[in-house]
Amino acid sequence: MNSPATAADTRLDLLELVDWFARTARRLPWRSPGVTGWGVLVSETMLQQTPVNRVQPIWEEWMRRWPRPSDLAAEPQGEVLRAWGKLGYPRRALRLHDAAAEIAAEHDDVVPGDVDTLLALPGIGTYTARAVAAFAYGKRAPVVDTNVRRVVARAVHGAGDAGPPSPKRDLADVDALLPSDDATAAKLSAALMELGQVLCTVRSPRCEECPLAADCAWQHAGRPAYAGPPKKVQKFAGTDRQVRGKLLDVLRGADGPVSRERLDRAWSEAGQRDRCLDSLLVDGLVEQTADGRFALPGEH
DNA sequence: GAAGCGTGGAA
DNA sequence: TTTCCAAGCTT
């Protein structure tokens, strides 16, 4: 199934995009010179589904406390969950802790730069593996996140937004845009993401400022609205996700183990509360103590 | 392939 | 107020 336009025959001036990025890139701390592969991995993990401004202070603290994977690996899980704070999706913190231990034990305390090796680590998927390879090690590795998918959907395919993810096709689309040399490809990967974040946004794209506007397929098509299948918005209020968050927040705010009665106050409906507590235990985000109380893992 | 998994800010 | 969403991963 071919699209009318493919990435391979686009006329987009991608070197102009790289130049735009060099001129205007935000000065994010994990982009500073000297940041290690570990620093980049921590940033990419925190940034999965969490906005930059919330990640920034936590990332700074983590780098201060745990400058190497082995430093994090030496901490109990509960301490890592506390330091994760309210970034959300705390399973990310546990997986990063596990990944740190594996990197320390099997990779000489250095984050690997090879995509397949990265993919074998817990919590590192298609996006993160390539982001680390490109941003930390300057490699040519197609980096596909929600922003890049939108930029490609518009600039290459002329659509209002990306449809549902199609990993193989998405990867091939971006791969076709990257030049052969590692350094330029890595810069272009960062530039494509930045473009989607700051100009080619979902709601009010600033096409006047866009370095790709001249040959953008979406522009040429008259900027048609998104025509794909409706996107699903996930509910939050009243879901298990909310309840789990409340339970975990009680434990993060406590000095040590807490009683079941204390957790009971976090949510009124007993059935859902118990189910959520069970799932937290299964996920390893909560542990039960010998005397029947509850605590963050490793903190009793 | 779809569903589940946190959180808080902006429109 | 409600809705939408922000650099995904795992099952």
Side-chain angles (χ1 to χ4, degrees):
Chain A
M1 194 154 18
N2 290 325
S3 299
T6 68
D9 57 26
T10 182
R11 298 166 49 83
L12 295 168
D13 189 349
L14 297 167
L15 292 181
E16 174 59 26
L17 174 59
V18 170
D19 187 58
W20 167 84
F21 181 69
R23 293 194 317 269
T24 67
R26 295 166 295 171
R27 285 189 160 58
L28 302 170
W30 42 87
R31 287 176 176 171
S32 302
V35 171
T36 62
W38 172 238
V40 173
L41 174 58
V42 172
S43 76
E44 293 301 339
T45 303
M46 290 180 170
L47 286 163
Q48 293 166 5
Q49 307 283 279
T50 304
V52 166
N53 58 349
R54 241 190 295 163
V55 164
Q56 189 158 330
I58 306 291
W59 183 87
E60 309 259 21
E61 183 195 340
W62 277 50
M63 289 300 102
R64 211 162 38 237
R65 291 181 68 178
W66 304 309
R68 297 166 304 180
S70 55
D71 299 318
L72 183 71
E75 295 283 351
Q77 291 175 310
E79 189 56 30
V80 175
L81 288 172
R82 275 183 209 288
W84 190 259
K86 308 195 81 167
L87 287 182
Y89 294 138
R91 295 191 292 195
R92 289 181 293 169
L94 291 187
R95 292 184 179 130
L96 186 52
H97 188 244
D98 289 343
E102 199 169 324
I103 293 163
E106 297 177 23
H107 300 292
D108 218 15
D109 219 10
V110 176
V111 172
D114 171 70
V115 169
D116 289 328
T117 310
L118 285 160
L119 284 170
L121 293 168
I124 299 187
T126 307
Y127 163 78
T128 304
R130 290 173 175 79
V132 169
F135 304 153
Y137 298 109
K139 294 196 178 175
R140 183 190 186 283
V143 176
V144 182
D145 75 332
T146 183
N147 295 294
V148 173
R149 293 198 332 106
R150 182 173 56 257
V151 168
V152 170
R154 288 177 177 166
V156 176
H157 299 299
D161 201 349
S166 170
K168 289 186 69 174
R169 180 192 169 220
D170 295 342
L171 214 53
D173 266 357
V174 177
D175 186 69
L177 295 178
L178 299 183
S180 56
D181 80 286
D182 284 298
T184 309
K187 287 177 195 164
L188 179 56
S189 291
L192 285 165
M193 283 184 63
E194 183 92 345
L195 184 67
Q197 288 155 8
V198 308
L199 293 185
C200 194
T201 59
V202 178
R203 285 170 173 156
S204 42
R206 289 149 58 190
C207 300
E208 331 75 59
E209 302 172 49
C210 181
L212 299 183
D215 291 298
C216 172
W218 191 44
Q219 285 290 332
H220 289 169
R223 291 172 63 170
Y226 174 66
K231 311 211 170 189
K232 292 173 184 169
V233 183
Q234 51 179 3
K235 293 273 180 256
F236 179 65
T239 62
D240 286 3
R241 243 165 47 256
Q242 182 183 25
V243 178
R244 285 164 55 104
K246 284 184 177 297
L247 293 171
L248 221 43
D249 198 41
V250 171
L251 295 176
R252 276 196 305 263
D255 288 333
V258 307
S259 65
R260 181 180 280 278
E261 291 68 35
R262 176 115 168 254
L263 287 177
D264 285 351
R265 275 180 254 136
W267 192 257
S268 59
E269 194 197 327
Q272 187 179 24
R273 196 177 61 223
D274 293 347
R275 179 176 73 241
C276 289
L277 185 52
D278 282 345
S279 73
L280 287 170
L281 289 163
V282 169
D283 288 350
L285 287 162
V286 175
E287 285 178 357
Q288 194 160 20
T289 62
D291 61 6
R293 291 181 297 164
F294 297 89
L296 294 177
E299 293 207 325
H300 55 96

